[in-house]
Amino acid sequence: MTLRLLMPQDIPAAAKLERLCFSVPWSEETLAAEAAHPFALCVAAREDGGALVGYGGIRVFFDTAELTTIATAPDYRRLGAGEAMLRELMLQAARRGAARMVLEVREGNEAARGLYAKLGFSAIGRRKGYYRKPTEDALVMEATL
Ligand SMILES: CC(C)(COP(=O)(O)OP(=O)(O)OC[C@H]1O[C@@H](n2cnc3c(N)ncnc32)[C@H](O)[C@@H]1OP(=O)(O)O)[C@@H](O)C(=O)NCCC(=O)NCCS
C-alpha cells in the first residue's frame, strides 16, 4: 500500500467509497472542492499500482487542524490503512504549524473511536444530535501534535 495526495483522478473512486462508508455521503463535487481547498490536505491510500483503498483529509487553521474525513474500503479494513493515513495527516498538520488536531465522531462508531484512541485522541466535548441518518451525538476529540 502506498500513500500520496488525493488527486483529481481519484475523486470518482473516492465518491464510490464514500457512498459505501457513510449514510450521508459527500458528492464528487464536494470531495473535489475539499481536495482543492487552500487550507485542506487530502491523502489517498492505494494498493501498489491499483485500487483506491482509502482516503482522509484535514483542514489547518493556524494552530489547529481538523480531521474532515477518513475512510477505508470495507474489504481493506483492519490492515493498517486508517492508521497510516491518520499518522501522515497528523505529521503534515504539524509541518503546517498546527499544535493540535480536532475531530467529530459518532458516539457509536467503535472502529473510528478505536483508531483515534490509538493515536492519542481523547474526548473533549459532545454535540447533541449532531449526525443524521440515524440521529446520533458526536463526540469531539482532540490530540496534541
Ligand atoms: C475507522 C476506519 C477509517 C478505520 O480504518 P482501518 O483501515 O480499518 O483502521 P486500521 O486497520 O488502521 O486500524 C488502526 C486501529 O484502529 C482501531 N480499530 C480499527 N478498527 C476497529 C474496530 N472495528 N473496532 C475497534 N477498534 C478498531 C484499532 O485500534 C486498530 O489498531 P489494531 O489493528 O492494531 O488493533 C474504518 O473502519 C472506516 O472506514 N470506517 C467507516 C468510515 C468512518 O466511520 N470513518 C470515520 C468517520 S469519524
Side-chain angles (χ1 to χ4, degrees), residues 40-122:
L41 181 105
C42 297
V43 294
R46 295 192 149 274
E47 269 188 332
D48 295 329
L52 187 76
V53 167
Y55 58 88
I58 53 170
R59 281 195 185 193
V60 182
F61 302 98
F62 303 101
D63 70 338
T64 300
E66 183 185 357
L67 184 73
T68 50
T69 187
I70 189 161
T72 300
D75 290 349
Y76 292 87
R77 288 196 186 149
R78 220 57 204 260
L79 296 172
E83 182 172 341
M85 292 189 289
L86 185 51
R87 283 193 189 283
E88 179 63 20
L89 290 167
M90 293 172 83
L91 185 71
Q92 294 301 331
R95 285 198 179 140
R96 290 181 176 207
R100 61 196 281 264
M101 187 175 284
V102 294
L103 60 84
E104 281 127 8
V105 60
R106 280 185 187 270
E107 184 172 29
N109 190 341
E110 287 186 14
R113 286 183 62 181
L115 170 62
Y116 303 146
K118 187 174 185 186
L119 269 64
F121 286 82
S122 53

